[in-house]
Amino acid sequence: MAISDAVLRYLASWKNLAGCAGGLLGLALHFAGLAGSYWVLVVAGLYGVGALAAPPEEVVLVTAPEEEAGQLRSELDALVARVHGFGGRVPAEVAPKLAEVADVLRGMLDRPRELRGDPDALHSVTRLIGTDLPLSVQTYLNLPWWYAAARGSGAELLRQLDLLRADAVRVAERFHAADEQRQADHGRYLEDRDRL
C-alpha cells in the first residue's frame, strides 16, 4: 500500500516534528510518574499542542514560465493598445517609442524558459512592464490635455520612454550575450573543423 504524497509531506513537516517533541515530553512525564493513569491522553494532548503551535507550511505557487511570460506579454500589449486608443491625446512620437520598447521586451518574452533562468533579467522585464512603463504613460494620461499641452508634459513622457528603452536594451544585451558567445564559439568550431 503506497503512502500518499500528502501524508509524506505531513510526516516531514514542522507541525509533525513539533507534535512529536510534545509527545516525547508527554512520555517523559509518564516515566517520571507525573502523567498518572491518563498518560496516553497527556501524550496525545501534548502532540496536538505541539502540532498546533508550529508555524504553518509555506505554500509556494509556481507558474509555468510560458504562463508567466504570457501574462507579462498581455500586460504589455494592453498598454500599447491603450496608448493607440488615445490617438491624438498623446504626442505622435509616443506610440513609435513605446513600440520600440515593447519590441525589445518581446524578444525576451519569446524565450520564457531562458528568461526564468535569468532572475535579474526577469526582474527587470517584470519591473519595466508592470511598473515603469505603465507609470510613465498613466501619469501623463492623468493630466488634462490642456494642462499637458501648456506644460510640455509630452516632452517629459518622451524623455522617460527614451530612458526606459535604454534600460530595456541594456537588459536585452545582457540576456542575449550568451547566444552571441555561442554563435562566435560555433563559428570558431566550424573554422577549426575545416582545417582538419
Side-chain angles (χ1 to χ4, degrees), residues 101-121:
V101 178
D103 286 344
V104 172
L105 294 170
R106 285 185 190 114
M108 292 179 280
L109 292 173
D110 287 342
R111 299 176 56 199
R113 295 207 176 272
E114 291 86 348
L115 186 58
R116 171 72 66 84
D118 186 343
D120 291 335

Side-chain angles (χ1 to χ4, degrees), residues 52-149:
L52 289 174
E57 295 295 316
E58 194 172 316
V59 177
V60 178
L61 298 176
V62 178
T63 59
E66 293 80 8
E67 184 180 336
E68 184 177 25
Q71 290 171 348
L72 290 170
R73 181 182 291 278
S74 295
E75 289 179 38
L76 182 61
D77 292 344
L79 180 66
V80 170
R82 185 155 189 244
V83 168
H84 282 290
F86 274 93
R89 171 75 171 82
V90 295
E93 301 90 357
V94 169
K97 283 188 182 286
L98 182 59
E100 287 177 23
V101 178
D103 286 344
V104 172
L105 294 170
R106 285 185 190 114
M108 292 179 280
L109 292 173
D110 287 342
R111 299 176 56 199
R113 295 207 176 272
E114 291 86 348
L115 186 58
R116 171 72 66 84
D118 186 343
D120 291 335
L122 178 60
H123 171 73
S124 296
V125 168
T126 303
R127 178 181 40 82
L128 282 162
I129 293 173
T131 304
D132 295 341
L133 282 168
L135 184 62
S136 291
V137 171
Q138 189 58 50
T139 302
Y140 176 81
L141 293 176
N142 286 343
L143 298 172
W145 67 268
W146 57 268
Y147 186 89

Side-chain angles (χ1 to χ4, degrees), residues 12 26 38 41 62 64 88 97 107 117 122 129 133-134 137 141 152-153 168 173 179 181 186-187 195:
Y38 298 106
L41 293 175
V62 178
K97 283 188 182 286
L122 178 60
I129 293 173
L133 282 168
V137 171
L141 293 176
S153 299
E173 285 174 348
D179 290 327
Q181 185 61 48
H186 186 63
R195 288 186 203 134

